[in-house]
Amino acid sequence: MSSTLGTTLTKTKTPTGVPAATLNRVLDEGYGAGAWYGADLHTAVADVKKGSAFTRPAKGRHNIAEVALHHAYWAGQITAKLTGEAAAFPLEGEDWFELKDESRLTWKEIVATLDAAQQRLSQAVSKIASGARVSPLGEADRFDLVVGIAGHAAYHAGQIQLIKKLI
């Protein structure tokens, strides 16, 4: 095997036949109900007050509200990829949304958007894995998206925990 940059190495084989309960357990590891490593994303936002949610840790840095809404956006995008349906979102735009205060969405609405996006994702994963719903994607691609969005949630949970300390 060559160590030259640009050379494709053997890719880890993606498992197939993964039960819905296992896929949802993977989602929970990033979003909730209690990850072994500390605060999952649900836990990370649970104790945030609206004043803190919109406070930037430094100039040009994202605040907690923006990070939470960013993950909600991507949870919706992953659901759309898994189901083949269009994603709906409460704000125009994509990926990152500038939120200086509650003029666009309240902190309560952001948390509700985050919870609803994650719930829709979990339901879609369960229905697809159980055969109750058809996905336009193959099993390996679906698994990779579930693992990816769980990692995304865990990453942003850590980011939010750090922002709380910085502010």
Side-chain angles (χ1 to χ4, degrees):
M1 207 180 304
S2 171
S3 63
T4 307
L5 288 178
T7 302
T8 304
L9 301 176
T10 304
K11 185 177 178 182
T12 303
K13 184 173 168 58
T14 299
T16 56
V18 178
T22 301
L23 292 173
N24 277 308
R25 175 63 183 90
V26 170
L27 288 175
D28 285 347
E29 191 65 28
Y31 187 73
W36 68 265
Y37 54 82
D40 52 64
L41 188 53
H42 184 264
T43 301
V45 300
D47 64 349
V48 175
K49 305 292 184 234
K50 72 178 179 179
S52 298
F54 296 92
T55 301
R56 295 189 188 286
K59 185 178 179 182
R61 301 292 182 210
H62 291 295
N63 59 37
I64 293 170
E66 290 168 343
V67 174
L69 200 59
H70 164 77
H71 181 76
Y73 173 82
W74 279 107
Q77 292 299 306
I78 298 305
T79 303
K81 288 176 187 294
L82 291 170
T83 63
E85 295 179 358
F89 202 71
L91 295 177
E92 292 286 325
E94 59 184 53
D95 202 7
W96 287 103
F97 303 86
E98 186 175 353
L99 301 167
K100 297 176 184 178
D101 54 34
E102 291 192 316
S103 61
R104 294 178 77 188
L105 286 175
T106 66
W107 175 237
K108 187 176 180 178
E109 290 169 326
I110 292 166
V111 172
T113 299
L114 178 61
D115 285 339
Q118 197 70 30
Q119 184 66 31
R120 282 190 300 276
L121 175 60
S122 180
Q123 289 171 351
V125 165
S126 290
K127 287 179 181 177
I128 292 165
S130 70
R133 181 176 199 143
V134 176
S135 174
L137 302 176
E139 194 172 2
D141 289 335
R142 295 191 312 261
F143 180 85
D144 290 345
L145 286 172
V146 168
V147 169
I149 196 66
H152 189 259
Y155 169 80
H156 286 305
Q159 186 180 25
I160 287 172
Q161 293 297 86
L162 180 59
I163 293 170
K164 289 193 282 191
K165 298 278 187 202
L166 292 172
I167 60 173

